[in-house]
Structures are given as C-alpha cells and as structure tokens.
Amino acid sequence: MTAGDTRGTASEGRTSLGHEAARAARDALEAVLLSIVDMPPSVDRPGLRDRLLRACELLYASIDLPEIAVAHLQGLGEAAAVARECREMIRSAKEAEAPGPLSEAVASLTQVEGALGRAYEQVARIQFDRRSELVTGALAPVVVIARPFRASRGTPQLHAYPRARMLPHVLVGTGEPPAPAAPKPTIRRPETMADLIAFGDAAASGALQKSLLAEPEPEPGGEAPLPPFVFEPAASEVEVLRRIARDCLEDIAIHRTLRTPNAIETWLDQAPFEQRLLDNLDAFAALGGAVLPMVSLFVAESDAPDPERAFAAAITLGSIEGSDSLGAAMMMFKQSAPETHPGWYDGLRLAPSPAIDAAMRELAASPRPAWAAFALDVLLARGSLSDAVVRP
C-alpha cells in the first residue's frame, strides 16, 4: 500500500484513536472555516482559510490511512502545527480578546492542537510497538485509489483514479469595506436662454452624450491602465478540459428535473434522460482530477439559491471515491441556503459513494436541527438509517 492508498483502512478499524481524533479535529476546523466570514477585517481571512484547508487536507490523510502508516502520524503532527499557526494569526487581531467569533475560534483551535498532540503521542507509541508492520511513504497530496474505468448503466458508477486531494471553495468575504462608487455624471440645469441654447446644441451634436458616457479621468499618480491584448491568447489544455467539465455539470443539473416523470409519463419513459445524466457523470470523471475544482466554483458562482447546481455537485462528488471529495461536498452543503437542500438530498441519496453514509451519520449529530433532519432523510432514502443513529 502506498502512502495515499485508502483501500486498507477498513481492515485497520476506523474507530481507532488516530482516526477519531482526526475526524473530530476536521469537524472543528470546518466550523472555524465557516466562521471566517463573520470575522473582522483585521484578520487575514484568505490566509487563514488557506491554512485551515491545508490542515483539513493533512487530516484527510490521517483519516484515510491505517494507524501503522507513517503518513498517518505525520498528518496528525503537521495538522496540529497548522492549527497552532492559525490560532496565533487570530490572536494577533486587536479584537481577539473580546467575546465573539475570534475568541471562539481561538478556543476551538487550542482544543484541536491539544487533541491532535495527544493523539500523535498515542499513535507514536502504537507504531513503535508495531514497528515491524509499519507502512512507509511520504505524506503526499495524491490519493492513489485507481481502478479501471467502468461506464454507468442504470445506476451511477463509483469512479476512482489518481488525483490530488480536493479542497472546497470557502466564502470568506472581502475583508475590506467596499470601495466608494464612482460619482454619477450630472447635468447642470440651464438658468438662462443662452444656457438652454447651448444645451440644445450639445444634445443635437452628440457632445452631451459623449460627456455622459466618457470614462472618468485617472487620479494623479495612479497607474495607467494596461493596453488591450493585440491578439487573443490561446486556451491551455486545462482550460479546454474545464470548459468541457462545465458543460457536463450543466447537463447534470438540468437532468435533475428531466429525469422526473410528469403526470402522463412513467419512469420507463425517463430512461433516456437517466442514461444521459449517467453519461455526463462518466464524462466528467473521465476528465480526471484537473476538473474537480470546477464543482465548487459551479455552485459558488450562482447569483441565487439553485437546487439544480446543488444536485450536480452532490451526485458528481458522490461518484468520486475518496473521503476528501465527499468532505468538500459537505462543506459546500453547510455554506448553502436552505432552498438548495432538496437538490443536495436528491444527489446524495442517488450517489454511490459509501462515504455518504458515514458523513450523514456524523451530520445527524449536528446541533443544528435542520442539518440533523436532512441527514436522517438521506439515510432513510439510502436504506442506511439505524436505531443507533435515530436514538440519540
């Protein structure tokens, strides 16, 4: 097994000390990520977001790998160091001592650092005792879970291929007050007959229109605008792949509605729409890991809550093997408006990833009733709802 291989985790037990600490730390870091948008402008929001996402990436390596993997131990240690760095970044803000999002984030990151430190020591002892069984390998950002490509027939196929770990798009706000709007051009009211005649002449000649549409003069000392390109730059191969990926996502979103029969149709009549949805899922997966960031951008760029985009994100990421892809989907869900939840529900109940059941069991324990109810609905639709989940 390589350092990024996730296929041996089940046999090693996902309830071990290292895995429990990594999952709890990931949930706490995601909560801090969601609170960045409420932090004051004195905090370096983009820098804090990037570091927290890096810590989550490290923790996914610890979650996916067995305790006897060297990279599992490294993930715990490096994630604790990043959590400490993030805590110090927040503490440097002048508002950090006042009650609010900053003080809560500092307390949460302190707990994360302590829990990961204790888990690191415990796992280090386990690895020393089992040193003859150690799985070596560097802590690489590549998930190696490749399997032969199989086309979807009737139900979505779970695709697995070598790729970098996926990180979600997190909204952090601008961090600065908006720039003042440019002053609107005004027309001086004619006060004399000469002014009125001059106004009429300017309107007739087009000079008035040009003055109203003219670009504002640049401020003294400001940089001059760059000249336009004299040619259209050629698109790179990655850009071409991303355009194709966007077309696939748009078709998947559209087919959420098309696959549902109307009053005069049956589910048999929808077979062509179902297969076209599956074909687009397969086409997206065949493009490889370079297009995975398109999913979160496709959801984030919507001007209004869009259940169809949510459906496309849920079923697409739910068809890519890996706890990181499902984790990115859950981060997008937590940032989404309640109006999009029906789309997330449809996508998650149909997607084939086994990680969905585990993610929904964790979400069912959320203190937010709407999220807990959503998770129970998805588990019920997938036939995975158990008394152990419902009873708490």
Side-chain angles (χ1 to χ4, degrees):
M1 186 197 307
T2 60
D5 200 332
T6 64
R7 287 172 292 183
T9 53
S11 61
E12 297 294 336
R14 288 181 177 265
T15 58
S16 59
L17 297 172
H19 296 126
E20 287 182 353
R23 284 196 293 268
R26 179 207 59 194
D27 294 342
L29 293 179
E30 287 182 353
V32 177
L33 274 167
L34 294 175
S35 70
I36 291 180
V37 70
D38 299 322
M39 294 183 179
S42 58
V43 178
D44 179 10
R45 296 180 185 179
L48 182 62
R49 173 199 59 197
D50 294 343
R51 287 168 174 80
L52 288 171
L53 288 175
R54 170 60 178 161
C56 290
E57 182 181 13
L58 292 166
L59 289 174
Y60 275 120
S62 298
I63 292 171
D64 290 339
L65 296 173
E67 281 191 327
I68 58 173
V70 173
H72 173 93
L73 182 65
Q74 292 176 337
L76 295 173
E78 293 188 24
V82 176
R84 179 169 60 253
E85 181 183 3
C86 294
R87 182 191 62 197
E88 296 307 317
M89 285 181 62
I90 298 175
R91 277 182 173 172
S92 63
K94 59 180 181 295
E95 301 92 346
E97 299 300 329
L102 291 189
S103 60
E104 294 175 3
V106 168
S108 180
L109 291 171
T110 302
Q111 293 178 354
V112 167
E113 182 191 3
L116 290 179
R118 292 189 294 272
Y120 182 91
E121 295 176 357
Q122 293 170 340
V123 173
R125 287 195 293 269
I126 293 173
Q127 291 195 357
F128 179 79
D129 294 338
R130 302 174 62 184
R131 52 190 178 274
S132 62
E133 307 173 45
L134 283 185
V135 179
T136 59
L139 183 61
V142 177
V143 185
V144 185
I145 47 176
R147 286 199 304 269
F149 182 88
R150 295 180 182 275
S152 301
R153 288 291 181 267
T155 57
Q157 179 70 34
L158 184 62
H159 300 287
Y161 47 84
R163 58 179 177 82
R165 295 191 184 277
M166 182 182 178
L167 299 177
H169 177 74
V170 180
L171 303 175
V172 297
T174 60
E176 298 179 356
K184 296 182 179 180
T186 57
I187 302 175
R188 189 174 66 86
R189 179 172 180 155
E191 298 179 354
T192 64
M193 183 59 67
D195 292 342
L196 186 60
I197 294 173
F199 180 83
D201 293 341
S205 64
L208 178 64
Q209 182 181 9
K210 290 181 180 179
S211 66
L212 294 177
L213 299 178
E215 294 291 335
E217 293 290 334
E219 296 182 3
E223 297 182 359
L226 295 175
F229 290 110
V230 296
F231 63 95
E232 184 68 20
S236 66
E237 180 181 358
V238 172
E239 282 301 316
V240 174
L241 293 178
R242 287 177 177 173
R243 290 180 187 178
I244 299 173
R246 181 181 177 82
D247 291 341
C248 293
L249 291 173
E250 289 177 348
D251 280 353
I252 293 170
I254 292 171
H255 279 80
R256 174 182 179 245
T257 303
L258 293 178
R259 66 176 291 274
T260 305
N262 57 33
I264 62 174
E265 294 175 330
T266 67
W267 283 106
L268 294 178
D269 299 320
Q270 304 309 108
F273 298 109
E274 289 269 358
Q275 190 56 49
R276 183 168 179 180
L277 187 155
L278 297 177
D279 292 344
N280 278 280
L281 277 175
D282 293 345
F284 182 92
L287 295 174
V291 302
L292 278 181
M294 286 295 303
V295 180
S296 57
L297 295 178
F298 180 68
V299 174
E301 70 183 12
S302 178
D303 295 331
D306 190 343
E308 277 66 38
R309 289 178 187 249
F311 169 78
I315 195 170
T316 300
L317 295 180
S319 299
I320 306 296
E321 185 166 332
S323 57
D324 59 317
S325 57
L326 205 281
M330 296 313 300
M331 275 295 294
M332 284 186 272
F333 165 79
K334 292 175 181 178
Q335 296 178 89
S336 63
E339 292 83 359
T340 66
H341 288 185
W344 289 105
Y345 168 79
D346 287 342
L348 291 174
R349 70 183 177 88
L350 296 173
S353 175
I356 295 176
D357 296 331
M360 290 300 104
R361 286 192 292 268
E362 293 179 6
L363 189 64
S366 169
R368 300 195 182 189
W371 291 1
F374 173 87
L376 294 176
D377 287 341
V378 173
L379 288 172
L380 179 62
R382 292 175 63 88
S384 303
L385 191 60
S386 65
D387 293 343
V389 176
V390 177
R391 190 175 297 112

